[in-house]
Amino acid sequence: MIEKLPPGTFDRMSLYYITHATTESGAVTKLKASQDVRTALGQVMTKADMIRLLEHGHHGAETWHAGKSAPVRVIDGRYLRSDANDTRADNLGDLPPV
């Protein structure tokens, strides 16, 4: 089980790059995000943790894979969705697992 993020783990007004996402039955359950796309390091967190970071508009997120990115949004306070573009590899459900 992944623990909740400790307070102050990430800076305010930051952009997070989601590089990995694990899904179960088609739903994202955990992800790996970093503030620097050039690193393989990152914070593993639950989907709920990422939603908390994003839902009040103080942070942003994008998927990142093979040099391509797509914005990520919170839908109905319960779901994460990567915006459509012409690259399937950067969709949340198509990222490598955590």
Side-chain angles (χ1 to χ4, degrees), residues 10 14-21 31-45 50 53-54 59-65 67-72 90 92 95:
F10 292 116
S14 299
L15 178 62
Y16 300 100
Y17 297 96
I18 301 171
T19 57
H20 295 76
L31 344 113
K32 184 176 179 183
S34 173
Q35 291 178 305
D36 185 350
V37 298
R38 297 167 296 203
T39 182
L41 302 175
Q43 173 75 41
V44 175
M45 64 184 79
M50 180 56 78
L53 285 170
L54 300 178
H59 304 285
E62 294 182 357
T63 59
W64 184 262
H65 184 70
K68 302 284 186 173
S69 67
V72 174
D90 64 9
L92 276 170
L95 293 175

Side-chain angles (χ1 to χ4, degrees), residues 3-10 43:
E3 297 179 29
K4 289 186 178 183
L5 292 175
T9 299
F10 292 116
Q43 173 75 41

